[in-house]
């Protein structure tokens, strides 16, 4: 029967054709014709050579522009994350079946000049897209995907939950059919085996009856419960590749076919219905366990996404009213009562609060927040009622930013997993060759043993355990890190973290709290202190550095022109026609060409611990304000050390990780922090370029370097590090450059993360070792005839389950129950020996 070249469905009399690579191919409808010619016309015809199966047939509704609603910025903002001119979205792609589909979507989107990055993961069915929001909108992205025959859905709690529920229900039904079928067939098989062991001859009619009933029971197990295995193998063969299900399917089809032939032939011969049903049951069980672990690891992201309440208590002129969270606006004042989840990011107005941040940070105890401090959506108020001024909503909240980073991480496959997949694919080719050699050898030695031995080799050699060894361990570790307040945004970062021997800290906002306060303002040009603070606040409003926040209380509405931030040095801008700078003393001095003389004076003053006769506190940092003619003022900013900084540094050193400080702050401040933390290697007055050169120098010397920072000026060095770590309350650019985000801002989690990373690699290596020993050890035994097909099926399935169960040792364990999902304390990372 003729079928459609694009979707594989019957032509039903259609005479339509699509021109693909200089050939006319039959298609069933105008929709398939349009999609096929679009793919071929854009130079992506290779898709049809490498796809694993037929493509999705465009639905009738796809002929209408149902995507235009996503062109509305307000509607699209529910699903997207926007930073400056870049917008990103994670989409769930219906009909995404294989790597060729991923390739097609990836290349089609990249052909649009305004699309900046695309990542499509066929395993999770998700696509992450980043584009220039000034030239493109979400509707055009989704329309492009839909034109290829796929149906895109924005990743929401509803779509993900429905997909996971349907996947679980389908797996349970197949597992139930396989389980009941296996039990029924085994009852008849045991009777036959018992007669053989007792050297008795079963009556031919009874034996035929047992075989016929076994055939009837095994058939739905084979073609319903085993359908995903057979379909996967067929798709692999169509794409001229060898997947893990190819040797398994060959074995199943050979065993089932030989058993059916011997049943109807009625002249003796072996039947393998028991092996077929047992194999499918244990293979389905193993995949069900894999699916459960995968869904469990995704639970952190889903729980975060579901954390926001639907209703908020808004305080208005008429009192308190309950309104949907979606109707809140910036600067609204809301009340959050005891035990309620905060619906938006905001600032505490009337009272201190005790906030349970366990869901975001893993911190087991409530955190005390003072009036004026920031609180974030998704956390829980465990104290009395508080009033909060809304500062961020929807996708602009810290919670949404974290969820977006986690979704981004889920669209990438770690290098370790890719390498394992590649090794498993190569191994499969040798398995098929080995099975052929086994069959040839037995045909020459004892033809009666050839079929059973070949069957056993095909079954026992399936490298399922080998292929899932790395992904299972990495997925479990990622879930545990997430529950501990450590967000893994780059799956490859875990392997790098396990191998680091040097860690480089920024100072302000990393080793210190980053809650800077202005201790002193000294005017140098006769300006009032209020005027100096006013100018400084206007300039610093453009900076995300922790120092800038110290000037926020002095900010007033005014126009600043030609604003420019120079990473690691400071900010400049034009106020009332005059150009000002604030930042490091040499940066300010350069504006009036006095760099050398000014630095000499500054070095002389600070070496005596004073500037203009005023003592400088050791933990403080000094920044200057000046214009094109003179220095106007200097400011001393004080900060305090993070409580866990010293202990974290000590634990890292005990793990043979050497700490250093690279900071743009003054020598006195950096030296004071280094002394309190016990760090001997510290470097002050480093620009972003000098930080980058220092890290590159360490790497050139053979060191594996981790860098942890929080500011915009840290982005270049974070990008160059072997593994980059950003503080949770740091700048968005630092988050984008980092492979790991320390959501909790708790440095005590850092040595625990290193321990977990090392333990993850250890467990992954255990998985790989077990899988290698099992596969390499069992193949010769099966080839020599010592392992029957049913035992091969049992062993292969149990090896996969063993790998999954070993990996679950990395999963988080519930330690307490609150209104938020349970979290893990830092001590729990060491509770289970590897």
């Amino acid at each position: 029967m003729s079928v459609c070249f694009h979707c594989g469905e019957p032509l039903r009399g259609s005479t339509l054709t699509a021109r693909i690579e200089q050939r006319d191919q039959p298609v069933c409808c105008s929709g398939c014709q349009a999609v096929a010619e679009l793919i071929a016309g854009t130079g992506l015809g290779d898709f049809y050579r490498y796809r694993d199966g037929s493509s999705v047939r465009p639905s009738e509704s796809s002929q209408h522009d149902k995507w235009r609603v996503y062109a509305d910025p307000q509607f699209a903002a529910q699903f997207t994350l926007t930073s400056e001119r870049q917008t990103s979205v994670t989409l769930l792609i219906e009909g995404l079946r294989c790597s060729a589909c991923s390739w097609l979507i990836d290349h089609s989107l990249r052909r649009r000049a305004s699309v900046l990055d695309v990542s499509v993961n066929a395993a999770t069915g998700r696509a992450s897209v980043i584009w220039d929001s000034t030239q493109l909108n979400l509707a055009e992205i989704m329309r492009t995907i839909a034109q290829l025959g796929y149906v895109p859905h924005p990743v929401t709690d509803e779509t993900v939950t429905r997909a996971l529920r349907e996947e679980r229900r389908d797996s349970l039904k197949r597992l139930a059919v396989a389980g009941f079928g296996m039990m029924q067939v085994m009852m008849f098989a045991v009777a036959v085996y018992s007669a053989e062991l007792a050297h008795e001859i079963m009556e031919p009619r009874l034996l035929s009856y047992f075989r016929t009933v076994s055939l009837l029971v095994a058939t739905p197990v084979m073609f319903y419960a085993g359908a995903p295995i057979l379909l996967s193998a067929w798709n692999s063969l169509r794409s001229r590749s060898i997947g893990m299900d190819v040797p398994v399917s060959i074995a199943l089809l050979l065993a089932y076919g030989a058993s059916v032939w011997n049943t109807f032939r009625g002249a003796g011969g072996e039947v393998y219905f028991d092996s077929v049903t047992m194999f499918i049951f244990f293979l389905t069980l193993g995949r069900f366990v894999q699916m459960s672990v995968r869904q469990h690891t995704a639970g952190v992201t889903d729980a975060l996404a579901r954390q926001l309440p639907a209703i908020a208590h808004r305080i208005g002129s008429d009192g308190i009213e309950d309104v949907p969270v979606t109707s809140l606006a910036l600067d609204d004042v809301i009340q959050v009562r005891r035990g309620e989840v905060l619906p938006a990011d905001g600032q505490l107005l009337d009272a201190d609060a005790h906030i349970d941040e366990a869901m975001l940070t893993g911190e087991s105890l409530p955190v005390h927040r003072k009036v004026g401090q920031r609180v974030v959506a998704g956390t829980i108020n465990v104290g009395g009622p508080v009033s909060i001024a809304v500062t961020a909503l929807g996708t602009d909240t810290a919670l949404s930013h974290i969820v977006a980073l986690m979704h981004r991480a889920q669209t990438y496959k770690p290098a370790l997993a890719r390498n394992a997949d590649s090794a498993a694919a190569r191994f499969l080719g040798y398995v098929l060759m080995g099975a052929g050699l086994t069959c040839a050898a037995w045909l020459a030695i004892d033809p009666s043993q050839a079929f059973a031995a070949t069957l056993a080799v095909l079954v026992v050699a399936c490298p399922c355990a080998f292929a899932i060894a790395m992904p299972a361990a990495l997925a479990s570790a990622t879930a545990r890190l997430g529950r501990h307040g450590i967000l893994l945004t780059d799956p490859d970062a875990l392997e790098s973290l396990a191998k680091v021997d040097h860690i480089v800290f920024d100072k302000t906002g990393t080793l210190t709290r980053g809650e800077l306060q202005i201790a002193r303002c000294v005017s140098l040009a006769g300006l009032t202190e209020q005027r100096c603070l006013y100018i400084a606040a206007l300039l610093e409003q453009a900076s995300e550095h922790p120092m800038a926040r110290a000037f926020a209380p002095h900010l007033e509405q005014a126009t600043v022109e030609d604003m420019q931030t120079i990473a690691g040095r400071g900010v400049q801008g034009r106020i009332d026609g005059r150009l000002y700078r604030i930042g490091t003393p040499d940066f300010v001095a350069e504006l009036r060409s006095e760099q050398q003389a000014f630095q000499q004076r500054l070095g002389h003053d600070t070496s005596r611990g004073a500037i203009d006769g005023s003592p400088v506190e050791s933990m403080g940092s000094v920044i200057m304000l000046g214009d094109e003619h003179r220095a106007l003022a200097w400011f001393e900013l004080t900060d305090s050390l993070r409580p866990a900084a010293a202990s974290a540094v000590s634990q890292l050193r005990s793990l043979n990780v050497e700490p250093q400080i690279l900071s743009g702050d003054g020598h006195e401040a950096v030296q004071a922090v280094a002394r309190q933390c016990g760090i001997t290697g510290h470097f002050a007055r480093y620009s972003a370029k000098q930080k980058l050169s220092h890290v590159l120098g360490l790497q050139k010397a053979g060191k594996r370097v981790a860098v942890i920072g929080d500011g915009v000026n840290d982005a270049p060095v974070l990008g160059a590090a072997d593994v980059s770590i950003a503080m949770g309350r740091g700048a968005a650019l630092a988050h984008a450059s980092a492979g790991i985000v320390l959501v909790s801002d708790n440095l005590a989690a850092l040595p625990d993360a290193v321990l977990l990373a090392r333990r993850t690699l250890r467990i992954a290596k255990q998985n790989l070792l077990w899988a290698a020993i099992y596969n390499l050890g069992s193949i010769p035994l099966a080839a020599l005839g010592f392992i029957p097909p049913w035992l091969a099926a049992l062993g292969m399935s149990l090896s996969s389950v063993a790998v999954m169960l070993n990996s679950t040792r990395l999963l988080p364990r519930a330690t307490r129950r609150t209104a938020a999902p349970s979290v893990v304390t830092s001590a729990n990372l060491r509770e289970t020996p590897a």
Side-chain angles (χ1 to χ4, degrees), residues 582-798:
I582 185 171
T584 61
D586 59 335
F587 172 66
V588 175
E590 285 176 6
L591 190 60
R592 55 186 189 280
S593 303
E594 296 179 1
Q595 180 178 7
Q596 185 174 1
F598 189 81
Q599 283 184 321
Q600 289 175 350
R601 178 190 169 210
L602 182 67
H604 175 69
D605 290 338
T606 55
S607 66
R608 293 182 290 117
I611 296 179
D612 292 349
S614 302
V616 177
E617 189 175 329
S618 62
M619 283 290 289
S621 298
V622 174
I623 61 173
M624 303 298 298
L625 173 68
D627 61 15
E628 296 170 286
H629 307 290
R630 55 187 173 171
L632 300 178
W634 62 266
F635 305 94
E636 180 194 345
L637 307 179
T638 59
D639 200 356
S640 58
L641 197 69
R642 290 189 183 275
S647 61
V649 167
S650 176
Q651 291 180 56
L652 286 169
R653 187 173 282 115
S654 69
L655 295 172
N656 297 318
V657 179
E658 183 62 30
Q660 292 184 351
I661 299 178
L662 295 183
S663 177
D665 294 341
H667 294 279
E668 292 286 335
V670 173
Q671 188 174 20
V673 172
R675 184 169 56 252
Q676 294 187 44
C677 291
I679 299 176
T680 55
H682 51 86
F683 306 87
R685 295 289 180 202
Y686 264 40
S687 66
K689 184 177 180 180
Q690 288 173 311
K691 291 181 180 181
L692 180 60
S693 298
H694 183 89
V695 169
L696 292 176
L698 288 174
Q699 292 173 325
K700 190 175 181 180
K703 308 298 182 183
R704 303 298 293 268
V705 185
V707 175
I708 177 168
D710 74 321
V712 172
N713 58 311
D714 297 317
V717 69
L718 285 171
D722 292 294
V723 57
S724 50
I725 307 168
M727 302 299 285
R729 294 179 185 269
L733 184 57
H735 288 177
S737 304
I740 297 173
V741 177
L742 202 63
V743 182
S744 62
D745 283 343
N746 182 8
L747 292 176
L750 204 53
D752 289 332
V754 174
L755 275 173
L756 180 61
R758 293 178 179 179
R759 186 172 172 225
T760 300
L761 284 191
R762 191 161 59 247
I763 286 180
K765 288 177 181 177
Q766 290 173 3
N767 288 346
L768 288 172
L769 180 62
W770 159 249
I773 290 175
Y774 166 75
N775 281 114
L776 297 178
S778 58
I779 290 175
L781 296 176
L784 293 172
F786 294 115
I787 298 179
W790 68 267
L791 186 57
L794 180 62
M796 190 281 296
S797 302
L798 291 181

Side-chain angles (χ1 to χ4, degrees), residues 270-331:
E270 293 290 334
V271 294
Y272 301 97
F273 293 124
D274 53 335
S275 297
V276 169
T277 55
M278 181 185 294
F279 188 20
I280 292 176
F281 170 74
F282 281 110
L283 194 59
T284 306
L285 177 62
R287 296 187 179 190
F288 181 79
V289 172
Q290 294 175 38
M291 179 203 66
S292 299
V293 172
R294 173 169 50 82
Q295 292 188 1
H296 185 81
T297 59
V300 176
T301 310
D302 298 337
L304 283 172
R306 290 192 294 267
Q307 188 71 357
L308 292 182
I311 300 296
H313 313 300
R314 183 166 60 192
I315 302 175
S317 56
D318 298 328
I320 299 176
E321 59 175 338
D322 290 346
V323 298
V325 170
T326 53
S327 68
L328 290 177
L330 295 180
D331 299 324

Side-chain angles (χ1 to χ4, degrees), residues 406-431:
M406 295 182 78
H407 281 154
R408 184 186 78 179
Q410 289 174 352
T411 62
Y412 293 92
K413 189 176 246 187
L416 284 171
R418 294 195 300 269
N419 293 338
D421 287 348
S422 177
R426 291 194 300 270
F427 179 73
L428 285 169
Y430 296 118
V431 167

Side-chain angles (χ1 to χ4, degrees), residues 532-588:
C532 293
L533 290 169
Y534 166 76
I535 296 172
L538 288 178
L539 294 172
E540 291 284 13
Q541 66 179 315
S543 174
E544 293 191 69
H545 195 280
M547 286 185 177
R549 293 194 284 268
F551 294 90
H554 306 281
L555 182 62
E556 298 180 15
Q557 294 296 327
T559 301
V560 182
E561 299 175 344
D562 302 327
M563 188 79 80
Q564 185 179 3
T565 300
I566 292 82
R569 307 198 69 196
V571 182
Q572 74 174 27
R574 196 174 296 277
I575 302 174
D576 298 328
R578 178 174 294 183
L579 187 61
Y580 294 90
R581 278 187 177 182
I582 185 171
T584 61
D586 59 335
F587 172 66
V588 175

